[in-house]
Amino acid sequence: MEVTGTTTIRRPVSEVFAFWRRLENLSMFMEQLDDVRTTGERTSHWRSSAPFGRNVEWDAEITEDVTGERLGWRSSAGAELPNAGVVIFAPAPDGISTEIHVAMEYDIPGGEAGKAIAKFFGDEPSQQLDDDLRRLKQLLETGEIVRSDGAPWGKRAREEFPQRPAQPLTPEERKEVLGS
Amino acid sequence: MKATVWAGRNSVEVREVPDPSILSRRDAIVRITSTAICGSDLHLVDGYIPTMQNGDVMGHEFMGEVVEVGPGVPPDRLRPGDRVVVPFPIACGACAACASELYSCCENSNPNAGIAEKMFGHPVAGIFGYSHLTGGFAGGQAQYARVPFADVGPLKITSDLSDEQVLFLSDILPTGYMGAEMCDIQPSDVVAVWGAGPVGQFAMDSARALGAAAVIAIDKEPYRLRMAAEAGHIPVDFTEVDVRSQLLELTGGRGPDKCIDAVGMEAVHGASHIHAYDRLKQAARLETDRPHALRQAILSCRSGGIVSVIGVYGGFIDKFPAGAWMNRALTLRTGQCHVHRYMQPLLERIERGELDPTRIITHRLSLDEAPHGYDIFKNKQDDCEKVVLTP
Ligand SMILES: NC(=O)c1ccc[n+]([C@@H]2O[C@H](COP(=O)([O-])OP(=O)(O)OC[C@H]3O[C@@H](n4cnc5c(N)ncnc54)[C@H](O)[C@@H]3O)[C@@H](O)[C@H]2O)c1
Ligand SMILES: [Zn+2]
Ligand SMILES: [Zn+2]
């Protein structure tokens, strides 16, 4: 399954590229990722749990790394959810912003795991990536992922619709949402 | 705290809800001293804006005192104790829309942008108390409100102007002003305004302040037309005369040079069978909005004129007069108000006495009386034009 997405971020290419290249940052805005850990110059370890209902982990390696232009990666052999991705970074016509174009490829396995993954992506697999990119834009342009009273979850926004009412959170709800 | 909440179609209640707290670094908490009920709130109560949920705190016109700020709000920008008016669109100040001063189209302030994008093609900004489509933000008809991006939106009031003089900078004064500004008013222009509600009244005053030769007020409520007439505008009652003929009469056959729709999706029609046609389609969800005022504005406007739309539309309309619009070279301009753009210059106009926002206030109620306020405002009872609530 291939999903593509694109957005324009009003920050310079160098900054947007550097943010993405630090793979640890990906879990800040990608809903399905719990964390990414750099394990070598071109290798990293990725962990995902919540959306799939259980832990899925894999190693990945960088396949392309052209500073300020292109970044590609691929899961290593034997990954339970084989996947690959490429991001192209380009200056936008306004001379200020950066266009990013993302393409990701998932090789959805059979069995229970495959079913959970297919369910997560739903009828509109690109919606997931669109939402991830929207959060990336919020992070880079405003410093945070936007929260409202009805949708206070930050990067876990989508799974909760219809939402809680648009009224302030109780102290307990706030604690749960902010994790502190 | 106490807050006015949406409790289903045609039902507004004052309920006890949790106090707001800081959720993001750039938040502020405001203790509300004055807040108002808007025509836009009626679209929610009447059930024409989707994605409302039982318990949503209403209200997007409010002001008060800052009681807390998040660590991301610079103290030279805002600090506890400051008296502020809060603009109704929530804007980040950093995206391309904000950089172009299109604050109500902010690309980052709506956590439900994905839903808005599906409905409107591109997302729209977050708005206080205005459905989950515009973010699911609790509103300001309450004792306190959380204000995101507080370093961008709130206008500090340092002079001794009263709440009533500055409260409407949160929405309807800038909205009426933007409606007139979009008309590119020339000294020879006759400007016709559909709707003599609060927004229409301010559009009329603004058109005059921007130099229009004459301003015409179209409505059906005698007390609202009287209010417009007392402010020096020419009243036209659409239930008593044929609007288009009357406008021709008032402009020597030319038609108004500029037309402002300050009515929006719940317009009523002078001819009851036409109203029934659109009401039925709306009820059957074949069209979502009733565009009588918009249609009439387009048909009435002189060739080459501008039709400025500040009345709110939410979905689809039927029988849009595309032929009149295209063949007669009309320009259509519109938008939710980019309030941030207008707050400071309009505050200065108020200080200089060029605009008097208090002239439209007819009811001052406590927050507990909000349901009654909604009732009289919606049903045009007790000569209600604008309700201000004090929490
Ligand atoms: N663009 C924005 O940013 C913005 C901001 C605030 C309000 N609004 C919108 O402006 C509109 C007016 O707001 P308001 O607070 O004045 O509301 P309101 O309901 O008090 O006023 C609407 C007026 O229009 C009159 N009307 C109905 N049908 C008409 C017709 N066919 N011709 C002429 N007049 C007609 C009504 O009698 C009423 O007096 C609403 O749609 C509101 O949502 C837009
Ligand atoms: Zn309003
Ligand atoms: Zn913005």
Side-chain angles (χ1 to χ4, degrees):
Chain A
M1 177 181 67
E2 209 205 37
V3 292
T4 57
T6 177
T7 191
T8 298
I9 298 176
R10 202 162 188 276
R11 303 298 308 169
V13 174
S14 56
E15 183 184 327
V16 178
F17 181 89
F19 187 85
W20 197 298
R21 180 65 185 83
R22 214 180 115 69
L23 299 174
E24 276 80 358
N25 287 337
L26 299 185
S27 64
M28 289 171 75
F29 64 92
M30 291 198 158
E31 187 185 353
Q32 76 277 20
L33 285 182
D34 285 356
D35 67 67
V36 179
R37 203 159 32 82
T38 303
T39 50
E41 202 180 306
R42 299 178 81 84
T43 55
S44 49
H45 186 76
W46 302 47
R47 201 166 56 83
S48 179
S49 63
F52 307 129
R54 65 192 186 84
N55 243 23
V56 182
E57 304 194 27
W58 65 91
D59 289 313
E61 59 200 292
I62 301 264
T63 51
E64 282 181 279
D65 186 357
V66 186
T67 302
E69 287 180 26
R70 235 182 129 86
L71 196 61
W73 67 92
R74 177 178 64 216
S75 58
S76 308
E80 193 177 356
L81 173 58
N83 66 87
V86 61
V87 193
I88 294 166
F89 302 82
D94 68 357
I96 298 172
S97 309
T98 303
E99 283 182 16
I100 70 175
H101 300 264
V102 186
M104 310 238 264
E105 172 97 48
Y106 295 88
D107 207 350
I108 297 191
E112 285 307 306
K115 262 191 230 156
I117 290 161
K119 180 157 174 261
F120 169 68
F121 284 110
D123 299 334
E124 286 178 87
S126 64
Q127 183 69 47
Q128 176 61 36
L129 180 57
D130 287 348
D131 290 344
D132 286 345
L133 293 180
R134 223 189 293 282
R135 286 186 284 267
L136 169 66
K137 180 177 161 73
Q138 290 167 11
L139 265 177
L140 288 174
E141 290 185 342
T142 78
E144 295 181 274
I145 292 173
V146 67
R147 297 172 189 272
S148 71
D149 315 84
W153 304 279
K155 83 162 184 170
R156 285 185 296 121
R158 191 171 72 117
E159 54 191 277
E160 318 262 0
F161 216 81
Q163 306 178 326
R164 61 184 306 288
Q167 60 173 252
L169 283 69
T170 61
E172 299 74 52
E173 286 171 321
R174 182 175 187 277
K175 216 164 161 185
E176 196 205 317
V177 155
L178 298 181
S180 66
Chain B
M1 67 165 183
K2 274 190 293 193
T4 307
V5 304
W6 193 86
R9 209 169 159 170
N10 285 318
S11 175
V12 171
E13 291 173 10
V14 176
R15 285 190 201 155
E16 196 63 37
V17 303
D19 288 347
S21 54
I22 303 273
L23 284 183
S24 303
R25 294 171 46 80
R26 293 165 65 187
D27 287 354
I29 306 295
V30 171
R31 181 180 63 80
I32 296 165
T33 53
S34 294
T35 172
I37 303 175
C38 177
S40 299
D41 295 325
L42 298 181
H43 304 321
L44 303 176
V45 172
D46 295 342
Y48 290 116
I49 306 271
T51 73
M52 288 298 288
Q53 288 183 210
N54 193 330
D56 286 353
V57 177
M58 309 265 302
H60 57 269
E61 302 181 358
F62 60 97
M63 64 176 297
E65 184 196 331
V66 174
V67 291
E68 196 185 344
V69 294
V73 180
D76 57 340
R77 175 64 187 88
L78 212 62
R79 60 175 78 196
D82 284 346
R83 187 170 170 235
V84 292
V85 181
V86 179
F88 80 81
I90 301 170
C92 78
C95 67
C98 286
S100 314
E101 298 195 309
L102 295 167
Y103 299 101
S104 70
C105 302
C106 173
E107 297 160 12
N108 288 321
S109 62
N110 183 351
N112 296 325
I115 308 166
E117 192 173 55
K118 282 210 179 74
M119 270 192 76
F120 296 147
H122 289 276
V124 292
I127 296 180
F128 292 102
Y130 211 67
S131 85
H132 291 250
L133 184 65
T134 58
F137 289 93
Q141 286 163 9
Q143 291 180 301
Y144 292 88
R146 163 187 173 249
V147 177
F149 302 118
D151 53 331
V152 178
L155 174 75
K156 264 194 267 189
I157 305 294
T158 48
S159 61
D160 57 2
L161 291 171
S162 68
D163 274 22
E164 291 188 355
Q165 282 171 296
V166 293
L167 171 62
F168 301 143
L169 288 168
S170 58
D171 175 356
I172 53 172
L173 185 59
T175 297
Y177 186 86
M178 185 171 106
E181 193 192 59
M182 289 191 292
C183 287
D184 258 339
I185 292 174
Q186 307 300 313
S188 59
D189 280 351
V190 177
V191 179
V193 180
W194 275 256
V199 171
Q201 301 277 350
F202 286 158
M204 296 169 207
D205 292 358
S206 302
R208 186 177 43 217
L210 289 170
V215 179
I216 300 167
I218 304 156
D219 205 302
K220 68 173 174 24
E221 301 301 331
Y223 72 94
R224 294 188 163 198
L225 288 169
R226 223 179 302 125
M227 182 178 268
E230 277 160 17
H233 312 301
I234 306 162
V236 171
D237 184 335
F238 71 81
T239 58
E240 292 198 334
V241 295
D242 173 64
V243 172
R244 190 171 160 276
S245 329
Q246 185 70 13
L247 290 175
L248 290 176
E249 187 62 39
L250 287 167
T251 56
R254 301 184 306 276
D257 303 277
K258 309 290 163 62
C259 294
I260 300 177
D261 169 358
V263 179
M265 63 169 95
E266 292 187 66
V268 294
H269 197 284
S272 56
H273 63 284
I274 296 185
H275 179 75
Y277 166 86
D278 281 295
R279 182 69 196 87
L280 201 71
K281 291 202 103 170
Q282 201 172 26
R285 298 287 183 251
L286 294 172
E287 75 181 333
T288 55
D289 304 353
R290 299 193 302 262
H292 307 305
L294 179 58
R295 286 184 195 136
Q296 204 168 56
I298 290 174
L299 290 169
S300 306
C301 193
R302 70 131 160 102
S303 293
I306 295 175
V307 177
S308 158
V309 182
I310 45 177
V312 163
Y313 291 87
F316 298 91
I317 60 172
D318 204 26
K319 296 201 163 35
F320 177 80
W325 170 53
M326 188 275 156
N327 289 284
R328 297 199 301 100
L330 298 176
T331 299
L332 212 52
R333 287 184 160 176
T334 187
Q336 289 281 3
C337 186
H338 307 295
V339 176
H340 304 56
R341 235 200 246 171
Y342 301 100
M343 292 179 99
Q344 183 60 37
L346 288 177
L347 174 64
E348 287 162 20
R349 279 187 189 261
I350 295 169
E351 280 166 347
R352 291 197 298 267
E354 293 166 21
L355 292 167
D356 171 22
T358 63
R359 78 168 180 88
I360 63 162
I361 303 173
T362 51
H363 291 76
R364 297 164 174 88
L365 304 176
S366 70
L367 184 61
D368 291 316
E369 296 170 291
H372 172 65
Y374 271 90
D375 208 41
I376 56 174
F377 180 56
K378 172 179 163 159
N379 297 308
K380 320 281 191 294
Q381 286 161 357
D382 196 22
D383 286 0
C384 180
E385 177 82 21
K386 187 73 178 177
V387 180
V388 173
L389 304 168
T390 325

